Amino acid sequence: MTAGLTVLKFGGELLETDERRGAMATAIRRVSQASALVVVHGGGREVDADMAVHGIDKRAVDGLRITDARTLEIVVGVLAGRVNTRLVATLGSMGVRAVGLTAADGDVASVQVAAPYAAADGATVDLGFVGQPFGDGSQLIETLCAGGFVPVVASIGANNDGQLLNVNADTLAGHLAASLGADRLLIAGGTAGVLDPDGATIPVVDGALMDQLIGDGRASAGMVAKLTACRAAARSGVARVDIVTGKQTADLDASPGTRIEIPSMDGSESTES
Ligand SMILES: Nc1ncnc2c1ncn2[C@@H]1O[C@H](COP(=O)(O)OP(=O)(O)OP(=O)(O)O)[C@@H](O)[C@H]1O
Ligand SMILES: [Mg+2]
């Protein structure tokens, strides 16, 4: 499969209220009518809120959550539990045949413990129970898409030992787009794409600009993970890669944002529109 496949990732803040979730479900339905679709979602802010309730401090580096055992329990419960099932239910009520999954289901993605992370500031950080996805496409996803279902993937995985792992949702979306041979990766978040320090949207980011933005700190926190995921997808041949706001309209094609233009390893540009 894969001709005409879109991987669409939503940041958790777009799914927090009934109103926002309804708008995003409308957006998902719209995309699903035009192409096969895999949805990946985060839920960072809801995890933060639950951690605060339990008195656990948040630690993160470049948008990657440093995940100890207690944090993992909360991440799994929030993402694979509340956030995923609520979205699936909303989609179902709108006639979208959504199926909630994690990366651990039917080997949607192979995941291993992430290597110590080389941060933008030069530090090397052990991320704990954080997973790095790897491997080839997923037969389960292909089967679901071929049957007209929309897989909705929470960014949790498990390694070969059965250890649950927290995967950054942008990282997972980028990996799935690459491994499924998607022709589009669309990341919807709370900002109108990549912003410059004045708050204006940077319309196009190429490889050199990406390095500058991360290197000089104009892109930080969750945006570093997003850009890194976009680069991986573009390099592996995903032709269209965009970071857009999910807050302005349920028509994501009309949402302001940033186009990522990085050549694939086989030399073609990710500039098709
Ligand atoms: N140059 C930049 N442009 C836009 N946002 C930036 C930039 N630099 C840092 N950020 C931060 O990155 C955040 C987006 O990443 P974050 O991980 O918080 O959200 P998300 O990935 O959409 O949600 P989730 O983690 O739930 O999937 C923005 O809200 C902003 O605070
Ligand atoms: Mg994030």
Side-chain angles (χ1 to χ4, degrees):
M1 155 172 81
T2 52
L5 177 70
T6 299
V7 173
L8 173 54
K9 185 264 176 174
F10 288 100
E13 72 175 287
L14 299 174
L15 304 171
E16 280 171 1
T17 65
D18 290 349
E19 191 187 354
R20 282 250 155 84
R21 197 165 53 254
M24 287 309 97
T26 303
I28 290 168
R29 185 172 58 186
R30 185 187 289 263
V31 178
S32 74
Q33 287 163 348
S35 83
L37 174 63
V38 175
V39 174
V40 179
H41 65 81
R45 297 206 319 182
E46 235 174 291
V47 170
D48 292 349
D50 266 37
M51 286 177 64
V53 167
H54 288 85
I56 304 171
D57 289 334
K58 175 180 181 177
R59 292 171 63 215
V61 54
D62 296 346
L64 303 174
R65 187 183 300 274
I66 299 170
T67 306
D68 63 12
R70 290 176 75 205
T71 301
L72 180 68
E73 288 295 301
I74 291 175
V75 167
V76 171
V78 171
L79 297 188
R82 274 204 314 266
V83 177
N84 187 273
T85 51
R86 269 192 327 225
L87 178 57
V88 167
T90 303
L91 286 164
S93 75
M94 295 174 49
V96 178
R97 299 206 296 159
V99 178
L101 301 162
T102 71
D105 287 274
D107 216 11
V108 164
S110 301
V111 174
Q112 61 193 5
V113 175
Y117 177 73
D121 69 3
T124 301
V125 183
D126 180 352
L127 298 170
F129 292 108
V130 166
Q132 178 66 40
F134 68 99
D136 299 332
S138 160
Q139 189 187 354
L140 175 59
I141 295 281
E142 296 196 4
T143 301
L144 288 170
C145 289
F149 294 96
V150 176
V152 177
V153 186
S155 56
I156 303 293
N159 69 6
N160 279 339
D161 298 328
Q163 171 64 52
L164 286 168
L165 295 168
N166 175 25
V167 184
N168 177 274
D170 293 303
T171 306
L172 181 61
H175 168 77
L176 288 177
S179 65
L180 295 166
D183 47 16
R184 188 170 191 202
L185 171 62
L186 181 54
I187 295 183
T191 65
V194 187
L195 308 180
D196 71 19
D198 297 331
T201 296
I202 303 173
V204 176
V205 170
D206 63 13
L209 180 54
M210 188 179 293
D211 288 341
Q212 288 169 22
L213 292 170
I214 294 173
D216 66 20
R218 279 178 287 165
S220 62
M223 188 51 70
V224 177
K226 242 176 253 307
L227 288 170
T228 305
C230 287
R231 175 164 51 200
R235 277 189 180 158
S236 75
V238 180
R240 273 172 86 185
V241 180
D242 293 285
I243 302 172
V244 304
T245 176
K247 285 188 169 173
Q248 289 193 19
T249 159
D251 180 0
L252 295 175
D253 287 322
S255 296
T258 300
R259 168 67 49 95
I260 307 299
E261 288 185 0
I262 293 180
S264 74
M265 308 269 225
D266 69 16
S268 59
E269 281 271 315
S270 67
T271 54
E272 180 186 305
S273 58

